[in-house]
Amino acid sequence: QQPVQSPQAVILREGEDAVINCSSSKALYSVHWYRQKHGEAPVFLMILLKGGEQKGHEKISASFNEKKQQSSLYLTASQLSYSGTYFCGTEIRGAQKLVFGQGTRLTINP
Amino acid sequence: DSGVTQTPKHLITATGQRVTLRCSPRSGDLSVYWYQQSLDQGLQFLIQYYNGEERAKGNILERFSAQQFPDLHSELNLSSLELGDSALYFCASSVQGLGYTFGSGTRLTVV
């Protein structure tokens, strides 16, 4: 029941936008997004709990379409510090566990 | 410092041996989760504890076991180690409904 992320890798120039998608075959209770830099621990970005919810900061935001069991992470005007691997984690109601996608590697070049 | 403490940071051991990884959750967090991350791979869920009780299990091998103690720290025991067990082991803690806070991980190398 691992969610599927796309694309697997993205290379951008600083200032460009990116969208990372996460889809599940199961009905979702929540979706989490994390960023992990090489050799470091994953860092929590945001959690989405309701269908159609969109939240986040001005330049990093996410949406959650509960009916389609999909979530997307939007990175606007990317900065060098955004580089890393992005993971979505999905939770099924009552499952008490977060299952992570395989990750999307984002590289931002100057 | 995320507030989640994992020890040791690095561990090198031989095949067939047994090791114990330790995790202290962030203050106030009752849930502890263990994940395994092999080289350039995703995060594989192993097991979750909530206030001392096992709540969820992933594809955790029978050679692996865990527990959470009354002071809420958790230990992950890995026995009869194989080369394929070499990985980063992360512990995370959370308050229900909020995001996970991960520790810095224990890098296990089995030789």
Side-chain angles (χ1 to χ4, degrees):
Chain A
Q1 297 89 14
Q2 182 182 34
V4 177
Q5 288 185 232
S6 63
Q8 289 189 329
V10 184
I11 300 175
L12 299 175
R13 289 195 178 276
E14 198 174 5
E16 293 181 335
D17 302 341
V19 180
I20 300 172
N21 301 303
C22 174
S23 64
S24 173
S25 60
K26 300 281 187 179
L28 300 176
Y29 174 69
S30 70
V31 178
H32 296 216
W33 285 96
Y34 294 79
R35 176 171 61 212
Q36 183 179 30
K37 293 189 180 285
H38 185 67
E40 299 181 7
V43 174
F44 172 71
L45 295 175
M46 64 189 75
I47 181 174
L48 300 107
L49 294 171
K50 297 179 182 178
E53 183 182 17
Q54 183 158 355
K55 64 186 298 184
H57 306 290
E58 184 179 323
K59 293 189 174 180
I60 300 179
S61 62
S63 64
F64 177 24
N65 188 320
E66 189 178 1
K67 290 183 179 178
K68 292 185 177 181
Q69 292 133 223
Q70 293 176 347
S71 178
S72 295
L73 184 71
Y74 307 95
L75 300 121
T76 306
S78 57
Q79 306 170 9
L80 294 176
S81 62
Y82 289 2
S83 291
T85 300
Y86 288 77
F87 292 97
C88 70
T90 57
E91 182 183 5
I92 300 168
R93 186 179 291 276
Q96 304 279 356
K97 64 181 181 182
L98 206 57
V99 179
F100 286 93
Q102 79 277 22
T104 296
R105 181 171 294 185
L106 177 65
T107 303
I108 311 293
N109 294 319
Chain B
D1 182 8
S2 67
V4 177
T5 304
Q6 287 189 250
T7 57
K9 290 193 183 305
H10 302 277
L11 201 48
I12 301 175
T13 190
T15 53
Q17 294 298 304
R18 172 190 169 94
V19 297
T20 297
L21 312 184
R22 182 187 169 102
C23 169
S24 293
R26 202 175 50 166
S27 178
D29 288 356
L30 300 180
S31 289
V32 170
Y33 311 82
W34 287 97
Y35 284 85
Q36 178 192 57
Q37 187 174 40
S38 300
L39 189 63
D40 291 331
Q41 297 296 310
L43 295 150
Q44 300 299 316
F45 173 73
L46 295 178
I47 198 164
Q48 183 219 353
Y49 281 85
Y50 177 83
N51 202 20
E53 293 187 5
E54 181 185 307
R55 281 291 179 93
K57 230 172 181 179
N59 294 325
I60 186 168
L61 299 172
E62 285 191 12
R63 301 183 284 108
F64 295 2
S65 65
Q67 54 184 328
Q68 186 179 30
F69 295 87
D71 67 353
L72 300 179
H73 91 270
S74 177
E75 293 182 355
L76 179 67
N77 300 297
L78 314 175
S79 61
S80 302
L81 285 167
E82 302 175 358
L83 296 178
D85 297 328
S86 296
L88 254 177
Y89 291 84
F90 285 108
C91 163
S93 72
S94 77
V95 173
Q96 191 168 0
L98 299 182
Y100 291 10
T101 301
F102 282 83
S104 57
T106 293
R107 183 173 295 279
L108 174 66
T109 303
V110 182
V111 297

